[in-house]
Amino acid sequence: MTILETRPRVARPDVRVVRRRLGPGHRIPYAFWIGPILLLAVWSAGSATGLISPAILTAPWDVVVAFGEQWTDHDLLGNILSSLHRAALGLGFGIAAGGVLAVVSGLSRLGESLIDGPIQIKRSVPTLALIPLFIAWFGIGQEMKIVTIALISLVPIYIHTHNGLRGIDGRYAELAETIGIGRGEFVRHIVLPGALPGFLLGMRFAVTSSLLGLVVVEQYNATAGIGHMITLAEQYGQTDVIVVGLVIYGVFGYCADSAVRLVGRKVLAWRRTLED
Amino acid sequence: MATDPGGLITRPAVRVRDLHRRFSANGGVLNGLDLDIAPGEFVALIGRSGTGKSTLLRALAGLDRDIAGHGEIEVPEAVSVVFQDSRLLPWKRILDNVVLGLREPDAAQRGRTALDEVGLAGRERSWPFQLSGGEQQRASLARSLVREPQLLLADEPFGALDALTRIRMHKLLRKLCEAHQPAVLLVTHDVDEAIALADRVIVLDAGVVRADVPVDPAGRSRTELRTFLLEELGVEKENR
Ligand SMILES: Nc1ncnc2c1ncn2[C@@H]1O[C@H](COP(=O)(O)OP(=O)(O)O)[C@@H](O)[C@H]1O
Ligand SMILES: [Mg+2]
């Protein structure tokens, strides 16, 4: 049996003021892809109409061809994996060291006095300028490359985690004292979750910094890697291969950054911000 | 001076003697305060703004280690504080907030029971921002009760709530205190709240106890008590 609804189909519209939204509004589906695809479209259009000459920037389809050649003839996959491996190792060490240093320096005055100064000094010395020194210390092999990437990514992790940690509301520390939890639990339940937004921001910087480091260190005596591929292409004047390398860096960076933001949205579900 | 209400020679839950606290060199906030609270007794502390109510409470909670002063404070082992803001950790779900720091294996179960007692069954997995102000304050009450305190310190816990929610919270607090029997020191600026909830009302002024009166159905009527307390607070007649 069906019950007939007696309400008029078109209800009277609400009479009220609908306020203009001041935040960014609802999430756009596939927003992730819109910007990059637009960029690609402009590039394609420019190349097709001849506005962008191949001498300035290789056309996208020629880049695809060069990509295929590199893949089949020059072990592009091996190069990608070897670069990823380096970046991941360096980034991993950098994150671990930066995070630990930030917590130690954030929670203890002694730690701060020992750690904070040197890191601020390190910040003002470009890591890339330290490479000659690292080559003298660690040789020209993998070690030097990983140390450099680690140091480059350590700084943003440290700065933002430390900043996030110090920004935690002091009232939560007071609460922790009144419910009598120990130092370890305090760190686990209050310090780490409270510093997480800062840490994730640091991660976004660290990920791109590690790629920057990668570009530079792979110019030194590498036998594999995207940087190595670009250096070779430079020597032979293969613009298209250089662009393949650049596109790969771009894709790495973009995907890694998006991954960090996605993780951030998941683990920061407790926050109500303009992001949501 | 407080008398022993039952006439028994039991040790008080709280014993404060000659307590001094000052923030600056030129004037003390607490100036030789004495206070006793019997086990299970509900004491309301009223006083004008800035008379040192929070300072006293923080001293009892042991949260004032950077503040100059001296005196004798005896409080029980298990002390719990309810703040004016609920102070729930925004990154922990309600149940995790309630059982924060408990090590017993049945902590989660006890947390659920406490949430049930304050009428928040079913909200265990909510984030604090998803609760209304009154619900957040009830969750923070559950967090205190699950620790089975012998002394409950509350600093204007209902100050930020609307009148209706506040009345509900009064009933809840009374019920919970009767069930769990902690000694309670409730700071409030609301004379009616003090009379409605407490066994005894203390008026703080210039850093000492200015009046200390029992809320006794056999004694003064509530209206008389209210008038007396307002007078002690220095509220002019026409403003009552
Ligand atoms: N952290 C502080 N630093 C300096 N002065 C303070 C501090 N906390 C409180 N005071 C002062 O101590 C006095 C008592 O404050 P408080 O105990 O908070 O009063 P209330 O009775 O309103 O709770 C006030 O005059 C206040 O200005
Ligand atoms: Mg106060």
Side-chain angles (χ1 to χ4, degrees), chain B residues 86-88 94 98 114-115 118-123 126-143 157-158 160-162 165-166 168-169 172:
Chain B
S86 64
R87 223 163 275 203
L88 299 170
I94 295 301
V98 168
L115 277 174
V118 300
L120 284 178
R123 306 304 298 270
S126 298
W127 296 110
F129 81 81
Q130 295 170 320
L131 267 54
S132 74
E135 287 171 334
Q136 292 182 8
Q137 204 49 289
R138 279 190 269 157
S140 92
L141 210 51
R143 179 182 58 202
F158 314 131
L161 303 181
D162 63 277
T165 312
R166 199 154 1 150
R168 276 207 219 113
M169 292 293 286
L172 178 67

Side-chain angles (χ1 to χ4, degrees), chain A residues 168 171-172 174-175 177-182 185 189-190 193-194 269-272, chain B residues 58 63 65 79 81 83 85 87-92 100-101 103 127 129 143 147:
Chain A
I168 296 176
R171 293 174 311 161
Y172 297 135
E174 205 174 81
L175 168 78
E177 284 167 22
T178 67
I179 60 177
I181 62 180
E185 281 172 305
H189 296 301
I190 289 155
W270 51 268
R271 287 203 310 184
R272 203 171 30 172
Chain B
R58 294 171 62 81
L63 288 173
R65 65 184 100 59
V79 179
V81 185
F83 298 93
D85 57 307
R87 223 163 275 203
L88 299 170
L89 299 176
W91 48 80
K92 293 221 174 269
L100 182 66
R103 285 175 205 84
W127 296 110
F129 81 81
R143 179 182 58 202
R147 279 147 234 278

Side-chain angles (χ1 to χ4, degrees), chain A residues 74-274:
Chain A
H74 299 281
D75 191 22
L76 179 56
L77 180 64
N79 281 330
I80 291 179
L81 289 181
S82 136
S83 280
L84 275 183
H85 180 237
R86 260 182 212 128
L89 265 182
L91 188 60
F93 285 123
I95 292 170
V100 169
L101 289 176
V103 171
V104 172
S105 132
L107 287 182
S108 103
R109 296 288 169 195
L110 180 66
E112 182 174 31
S113 62
L114 291 179
I115 294 167
D116 201 62
I119 289 200
Q120 300 304 335
I121 293 171
K122 153 77 192 56
R123 248 180 101 191
S124 48
V125 179
T127 310
L128 304 184
L130 289 173
I131 290 184
L133 200 59
F134 289 161
I135 291 179
W137 291 350
F138 303 106
I140 202 156
Q142 183 81 326
E143 256 175 59
M144 174 277 282
K145 298 185 172 81
I146 287 170
V147 169
T148 307
I149 295 174
L151 268 180
I152 280 189
S153 42
L154 175 154
V155 172
I157 293 279
Y158 173 86
I159 302 278
H160 292 283
T161 310
H162 187 269
N163 189 38
L165 194 158
R166 282 289 166 89
I168 296 176
D169 197 327
R171 293 174 311 161
Y172 297 135
E174 205 174 81
L175 168 78
E177 284 167 22
T178 67
I179 60 177
I181 62 180
R183 190 94 176 169
E185 281 172 305
F186 175 61
V187 171
R188 204 170 93 224
H189 296 301
I190 289 155
V191 172
L192 294 184
L196 192 58
F199 170 79
L200 286 170
L201 180 61
M203 273 294 286
R204 291 184 64 187
F205 285 106
V207 163
T208 33
S209 308
S210 73
L211 290 178
L212 180 75
L214 193 61
V215 179
V216 178
V217 296
E218 287 190 338
Q219 291 173 357
Y220 292 87
N221 192 43
T223 49
I226 303 300
H228 169 67
M229 185 183 86
I230 293 181
T231 312
L232 280 188
E234 198 186 342
Q235 282 162 16
Y236 299 121
Q238 298 166 302
T239 328
D240 52 347
V241 177
I242 295 178
V243 178
V244 169
L246 297 184
V247 168
I248 291 174
Y249 277 131
V251 171
F252 276 5
Y254 193 61
C255 290
D257 187 58
S258 303
V260 174
R261 291 174 70 173
L262 198 73
V263 169
R265 276 229 300 284
K266 291 269 177 289
V267 299
L268 301 180
W270 51 268
R271 287 203 310 184
R272 203 171 30 172
T273 61
L274 286 186

Side-chain angles (χ1 to χ4, degrees), chain B residues 22 50 158 186 200 202 225 236-237 239:
Chain B
R22 64 189 150 77
F158 314 131
L186 170 84
R200 213 170 100 212
I202 288 175
L225 191 57
E236 300 298 328
K237 272 211 168 62
N239 293 336

